């Protein structure tokens, strides 16, 4: 028998009461009422630490068992999911074990799970959606940043031909590649790749280049972004990180939200460094295939750095961070490919 | 004084009842980490159950006059709400990236906002009970449009001078449309007190800025050695004396502005609660220390970040406990005459939309 208190249907009034009987036939006895009544149970609140169990009956009345009362014993519900879960949550040893496993899981999800899911999601994103994203983005940046290219027709044709040559070597595994030339305006010497295969190169970048190989290197780098679906992966990764943070701090207040937003922006930068390295390496491979100088674009990078000088990080650098570390990686890859090429020829 | 006089007096002097929270950090840590674990291995599906379990823990361990609160939402309906909201958000983002033209949908959203808000408030109120009687919320479209869409914009346009008026409208709106069973709440936050709160907030920002400038001065002047000063002459000294305080003031001002919102919100809560009456006779009270509240949230933030989230349960319990213990009810007579009544059920989708977007009303 459990002594507790009873609320009549829809009322805040309390009556001392007791509940007895078995799961199949519960008997509710109200104080000051001589007759005990059969009570038809409709629901029981799930157990959770510190909260009294409440049993709701068919007539809308609610019986509240005091804390610690053996409701599960009376109703034979000790084996339900939440009954087990409540016992687990109160067992410090098990909680510690769950904590260790969860920390491991969070780390694994962050390090491997999210990148893996992101690249999977990027691969299955329907091509028409991606193409439409390109149109939308191009429309927006054309209005906000770019103006039509001022290069003469001959120069433009030569650049298109060079791009065509690289695209052919890059193969057609993925969206069709397309070169758009624009005057960069506020973003200066720059090149960007949209996920649907549109690659934008600015007049300023062309102007700064000392040779065609330098421009080709940048084009190959951007083609790398498209072929390896970096923009889409980036979008999905940021979503994934946001979701993870939401899980950990799901009940967090405004202040936490603000900081978390800043942190995700930083995280996006970390990811983009990783993608830059990949695109560099892709560029080296493609340039070697095209019989061009794979290291040329490093020179262009240096010139942009010098050009940006006092005005801070502008142009390609703002969207392509970490020039210093990258050059070394590019050189190594080029040497490795070079060596491999020579052995193959022998 | 005779005994009958005492009886009359005790009936007329309202009894002060304090809210209390009996949850403990370690206890909640167990619930929290199990929730997190199950949410990860179910790829997020369990988050709906986790939310219900979290709120049941916090509501259920909040007590007033020997009775606790209850949260009643069903996880499955929360899950459905979340799926709908997430699908709509994804669709919206896709549409916007396909064509910026769809950004205009934001105006539709602004028009729907009051309706969504009312639906969400109705749902959340309806899912909350105390002593077997549920809360309810009966909003009005135009009232919500004025208090939550038009007024905030106007307040921003007046550089914050009308913030207290906006706070009054929104708190009065919520209080006025909230009910406990068949009894109604009524909030009449006085503008004077709200403007006083804005004044204290501005003072708070200035004080924090000045203190940080002072700290900057101390650090700045300790960094330069006396010998150096004599060698390099007066210019160097001047540089050091101005650089430290200015840097300190800039950092301090930035931090102060970032937390000023919390300071202000805590003050508004006090004013609004202290002018809220239930059923025409029971008065709510709130005595949140504004500085203390800011301190609790800021230290919580650092504790949470430095432990990569592991102290989040402790921080959540700490905040909730403080807010509960700062809240009370001046009850004029017994609380057992309330009865439940049918009321709008609201929409779980709207509630989940605000939850996912992190939009929160009140403390
Ligand atoms: Zn790049």
């Amino acid at each position: 028998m459990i002594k507790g208190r009873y609320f009549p249907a829809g009322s805040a009034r309390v009556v001392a009461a007791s509940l007895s009987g078995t799961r199949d036939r519960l008997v509710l006895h109200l104080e000051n009422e001589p007759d005990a009544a059969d009570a038809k149970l409709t629901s029981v609140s799930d157990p959770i630490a510190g909260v009294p169990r409440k049993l709701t009956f068919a007539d809308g009345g609610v019986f509240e068992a005091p804390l610690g009362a053996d409701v599960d014993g009376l109703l034979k519900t000790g084996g339900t999911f939440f009954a087990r879960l409540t016992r687990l949550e109160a067992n410090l040893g098990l909680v510690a074990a769950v904590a260790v496993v969860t920390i491991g899981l969070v780390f694994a999800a962050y390090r491997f799970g999210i990148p893996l899911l992101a690249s999977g999601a990027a691969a299955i994103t329907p091509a028409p959606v991606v193409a439409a994203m390109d149109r939308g983005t191009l429309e927006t940046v054309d209005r906000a940043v770019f103006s039509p290219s001022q290069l003469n027709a001959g120069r433009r044709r030569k650049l298109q031909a060079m791009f065509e040559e690289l695209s052919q070597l890059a193969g057609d595994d993925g969206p069709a590649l397309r070169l758009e030339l624009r005057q960069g305006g506020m973003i200066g010497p720059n090149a960007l790749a949209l996920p649907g295969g549109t690659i934008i190169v600015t007049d300023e970048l062309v102007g700064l280049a000392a040779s065609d190989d330098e421009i080709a290197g940048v084009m190959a780098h951007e083609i790398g972004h498209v072929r390896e679906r970096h923009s889409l992966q980036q979008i999905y990764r940021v979503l994934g990180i946001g979701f993870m943070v939401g899980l950990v701090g799901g009940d967090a207040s405004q202040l936490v939200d603000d900081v978390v937003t800043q942190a995700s922006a930083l995280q996006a930068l970390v990811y983009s460094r990783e993608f830059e390295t990949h695109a560099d390496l892709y560029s080296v491979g493609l340039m070697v295939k095209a019989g061009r100088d794979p290291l040329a674009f490093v020179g262009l990078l240096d010139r942009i750095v010098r050009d940006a000088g006092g005005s801070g990080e502008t142009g390609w650098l703002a969207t392509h961070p970490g020039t210093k570390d990258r050059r070394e990686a590019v050189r190594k890859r080029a040497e490795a490919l070079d060596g491999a090429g020579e052995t193959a020829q022998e | 004084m005779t005994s009958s006089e005492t009886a009359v007096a005790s009936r007329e002097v309202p009894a002060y009842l304090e809210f209390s929270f009996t949850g403990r950090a370690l206890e909640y840590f167990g619930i929290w980490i199990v929730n997190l674990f199950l949410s990860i291995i179910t790829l997020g599906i369990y988050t709906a159950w986790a939310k219900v379990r979290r709120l049941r823990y916090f509501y259920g361990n909040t007590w007033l006059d020997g009775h606790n609160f209850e949260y009643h939402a069903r996880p499955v309906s929360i899950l459905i709400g979340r799926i709908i909201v997430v699908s709509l958000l994804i669709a919206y983002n896709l549409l916007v990236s396909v064509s910026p033209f769809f950004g205009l949908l934001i105006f539709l959203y602004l028009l729907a906002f009051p309706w969504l808000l009312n639906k969400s408030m109705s749902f959340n109120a309806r899912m909350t009970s105390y002593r077997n009687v549920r809360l309810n919320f009966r909003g009005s479209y135009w009232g919500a449009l004025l208090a939550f869409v038009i007024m905030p914009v106007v307040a921003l346009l007046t550089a914050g001078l009308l913030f207290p008026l906006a706070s009054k409208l929104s708190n009065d709106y919520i209080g006025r449309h909230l009910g406990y069973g068949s009894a109604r709440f009524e909030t009449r936050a006085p503008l004077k007190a709200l403007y006083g709160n804005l004044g204290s907030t501005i003072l708070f920002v200035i004080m924090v800025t000045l203190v940080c400038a002072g700290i900057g001065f101390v650090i700045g002047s300790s960094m330069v050695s006396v010998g150096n000063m004599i060698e390099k002459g007066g210019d160097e000294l001047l540089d050091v004396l101005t650089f430290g305080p200015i840097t300190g003031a800039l950092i301090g001002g930035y931090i102060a502005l970032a937390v000023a919102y919390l300071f202000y919100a805590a003050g508004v809560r006090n004013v609004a609660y202290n002018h809220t009456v239930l059923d025409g006779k029971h008065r709510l009270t709130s005595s949140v220390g504004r500085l203390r509240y800011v301190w609790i949230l800021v230290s919580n933030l650092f504790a949470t970040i430095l432990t990569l989230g592991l102290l989040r349960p402790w921080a959540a319990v700490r905040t909730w406990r403080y807010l509960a213990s700062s809240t009370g009810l001046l009850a004029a007579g017994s609380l057992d005459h309330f009865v439940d009544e049918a009321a709008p059920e609201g929409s779980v989708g709207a509630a989940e939309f605000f939850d996912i977007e992190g939009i929160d009303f009140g403390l």
Side-chain angles (χ1 to χ4, degrees):
Chain A
M1 187 182 76
I2 299 170
K3 277 183 188 290
R5 48 190 182 183
Y6 177 78
F7 299 92
S11 163
R13 197 160 54 84
V14 272
V15 186
S18 63
L19 192 68
S20 53
T22 61
R23 179 172 59 161
D24 303 317
R25 187 162 181 280
L26 284 174
V27 180
L28 181 70
H29 189 100
L30 301 185
E31 199 177 63
N32 305 330
E33 276 183 35
D35 301 326
D38 277 13
K40 194 173 171 303
L41 190 67
T42 52
S43 66
V44 191
S45 65
D46 291 321
I48 189 161
V51 182
R53 304 287 293 276
K54 296 205 169 84
L55 293 77
T56 308
F57 303 111
D59 69 346
V62 171
F63 176 80
E64 183 188 298
L67 266 180
D70 189 16
V71 173
D72 284 327
L74 181 73
L75 301 175
K76 308 267 185 296
T77 46
T80 59
F81 176 71
F82 284 109
R84 288 166 193 268
L85 207 61
T86 307
R87 288 197 291 274
L88 165 68
E89 287 161 354
N91 183 326
L92 284 185
L94 284 176
V95 163
V98 172
V100 170
V101 173
T102 307
I103 292 168
L105 272 177
V106 168
F107 179 76
Y110 167 76
R111 194 76 185 73
F112 310 107
I114 290 175
L116 203 70
L117 284 175
S119 88
I124 60 166
T125 304
V129 172
V130 186
M133 280 167 74
D134 269 28
R135 278 197 300 276
T137 314
L138 193 61
E139 206 177 293
T140 310
V141 288
D142 267 346
R143 203 176 315 133
V145 191
F146 296 132
S147 41
S149 171
Q150 301 296 312
L151 299 173
N152 65 48
R155 185 83 174 108
R156 287 213 299 268
R157 226 173 302 125
K158 268 187 73 180
L159 290 170
Q160 287 289 359
M162 194 162 74
F163 184 78
E164 192 55 37
E165 171 203 334
L166 288 170
S167 322
Q168 233 129 61
L169 289 169
D172 48 8
D173 169 36
L177 298 161
R178 193 161 60 104
L179 176 68
E180 296 282 346
L181 295 164
R182 293 285 190 279
Q183 195 165 30
M186 57 187 270
I187 68 161
N190 214 323
L192 34 130
L194 306 182
T198 308
I199 286 166
I200 306 165
V201 175
T202 67
D203 291 359
E204 290 87 337
L205 187 110
V206 175
L208 216 56
S211 70
D212 277 359
D213 277 5
E214 289 187 2
I215 304 173
V218 169
M219 287 176 177
H221 170 101
E222 298 302 334
I223 291 174
H225 281 315
V226 175
R227 279 292 173 264
E228 298 187 351
R229 297 192 171 86
H230 289 161
S231 328
L232 281 179
Q233 286 191 51
Q234 176 82 346
I235 294 170
Y236 289 120
R237 282 180 179 195
V238 170
L239 273 179
I241 296 286
F243 177 69
M244 291 274 296
V245 171
L247 282 188
V248 176
D251 54 342
S253 55
Q254 180 114 31
L255 203 55
V256 179
D257 278 353
D258 292 348
V259 173
V260 162
T261 314
Q262 303 288 329
S264 330
L266 208 72
Q267 184 56 45
L269 210 69
V270 174
Y271 269 140
S272 75
R273 270 169 193 267
E274 181 191 324
F275 288 142
E276 287 319 317
T277 313
H278 283 212
D280 282 352
L281 299 182
Y282 185 95
S283 164
V284 171
L286 193 58
M287 291 292 280
V288 168
K289 248 198 238 174
R292 292 176 179 274
D293 175 11
L295 293 176
F297 87 104
V298 175
L300 181 56
L301 283 188
D302 286 346
R303 224 164 301 128
I304 297 174
V305 176
R306 235 174 298 133
D307 207 47
S311 66
E313 283 210 333
T314 52
W316 216 49
L317 296 173
T319 44
H320 294 80
T323 318
K324 284 248 161 58
D325 318 333
R326 289 165 56 190
R327 189 176 333 159
E328 220 18 64
V330 166
R331 197 156 279 150
K332 268 193 199 131
R333 168 59 72 96
E335 274 161 17
L337 281 178
D338 215 27
E342 274 161 19
T343 24
Q345 271 166 15
E346 278 168 13
Chain B
M1 199 188 273
T2 66
S3 64
S4 73
E5 272 170 352
T6 320
V8 170
S10 71
R11 211 185 308 144
E12 282 178 350
V13 174
Y16 177 71
L17 308 170
E18 194 177 82
F19 286 74
S20 66
F21 179 62
T22 49
R24 285 176 295 120
L26 194 60
E27 195 174 71
Y28 179 51
F29 181 84
I31 294 168
W32 178 81
I33 198 83
V34 170
N35 274 346
L36 182 58
F37 172 75
L38 292 172
S39 296
I40 292 174
I41 61 169
T42 56
L43 296 178
I45 293 169
Y46 188 79
T47 55
W49 279 260
K51 177 186 175 173
V52 170
R53 208 155 168 76
R54 165 167 58 86
L55 289 181
R56 282 203 60 221
Y57 181 76
F58 279 97
Y59 284 38
N61 280 289
T62 304
W63 297 80
L64 176 70
D65 195 26
H67 290 270
N68 66 339
F69 288 75
E70 283 279 353
Y71 182 71
H72 297 273
R74 287 169 49 239
V76 174
S77 58
I78 299 265
L79 180 66
I80 293 170
R82 288 198 165 171
I83 291 173
I84 293 171
V85 171
V86 169
S87 318
L88 285 177
L89 287 177
I90 290 177
Y92 171 73
N93 281 304
L94 271 180
L95 284 177
V96 171
S97 63
V98 165
S99 166
F101 168 77
F102 286 104
L104 292 175
L105 282 173
I106 202 84
F107 288 106
L108 203 68
Y109 163 66
L110 280 182
L111 283 181
F113 189 88
W115 178 82
L116 279 172
L117 178 117
N118 288 334
K119 286 282 183 193
S120 163
M121 301 278 275
S122 290
F123 180 81
N124 288 332
R126 206 66 196 135
M127 290 302 124
T128 308
S129 78
Y130 171 70
R131 294 185 70 143
N132 192 33
V133 173
R134 304 233 181 168
L135 294 179
N136 55 63
F137 188 84
R138 296 183 163 86
S140 78
Y141 179 86
W142 297 108
L145 184 73
L146 177 68
F148 290 94
V149 180
I150 297 175
M151 256 334 273
V153 175
V154 173
L156 279 178
L157 289 179
T158 58
L161 273 181
L162 289 184
F163 268 148
L165 182 59
S167 302
K168 175 182 169 55
L169 285 179
S170 56
N171 281 281
D172 284 5
Y173 176 82
I174 293 176
R176 194 158 289 164
H177 295 90
L178 196 63
Y180 174 58
S182 56
R184 307 308 301 170
F185 283 92
E186 174 73 46
T187 302
R188 291 171 199 269
L191 263 183
K192 203 176 152 203
L194 290 172
Y195 269 98
N197 180 49
L198 179 67
S200 321
T201 308
I202 293 170
L203 210 64
F204 166 75
V205 172
I206 294 173
M207 289 303 286
V208 172
T209 310
L210 286 180
V211 167
C212 289
I215 295 173
F217 173 74
V218 171
I219 294 176
S221 44
S222 68
M223 278 195 315
V224 63
S225 69
V226 180
N228 235 348
M229 255 186 249
I230 297 165
E231 217 171 277
K232 296 257 176 78
D235 279 358
E236 174 87 344
L237 182 65
L238 194 69
D239 276 359
V240 167
L241 290 189
T242 52
F243 179 73
I246 289 175
T247 318
L250 282 178
I251 296 174
Y254 182 77
I255 297 172
L257 282 175
V259 297
Y261 168 77
L262 302 172
F263 187 94
Y264 178 80
V268 170
R269 179 199 206 254
N270 287 342
V271 174
Y273 276 42
N274 288 329
H275 294 86
T276 297
V277 177
L278 171 61
D279 206 16
K281 54 190 174 198
H282 310 291
R283 312 186 64 88
L284 277 178
T285 67
S286 170
S287 55
V288 176
R290 289 171 290 188
L291 280 177
R292 177 124 182 243
Y293 182 66
V294 168
W295 160 247
I296 288 178
L297 288 205
V298 170
S299 53
N300 277 353
L301 178 69
F302 280 102
T304 304
I305 290 175
L306 290 179
T307 57
L308 295 175
L310 278 179
L311 274 186
R312 180 63 212 152
W314 169 81
V317 163
R318 181 173 172 231
T319 313
W320 192 282
R321 178 181 297 133
Y322 180 63
L323 287 179
S325 67
S326 310
T327 311
L329 182 75
L330 282 168
S334 107
L335 297 177
D336 64 6
H337 60 280
F338 293 102
V339 285
D340 217 341
E341 70 167 18
E345 294 296 330
S347 143
V348 65
E352 283 309 300
F353 170 74
F354 287 112
D355 193 18
I356 288 173
E357 286 290 280
I359 303 172
D360 202 1
F361 303 99
L363 295 179

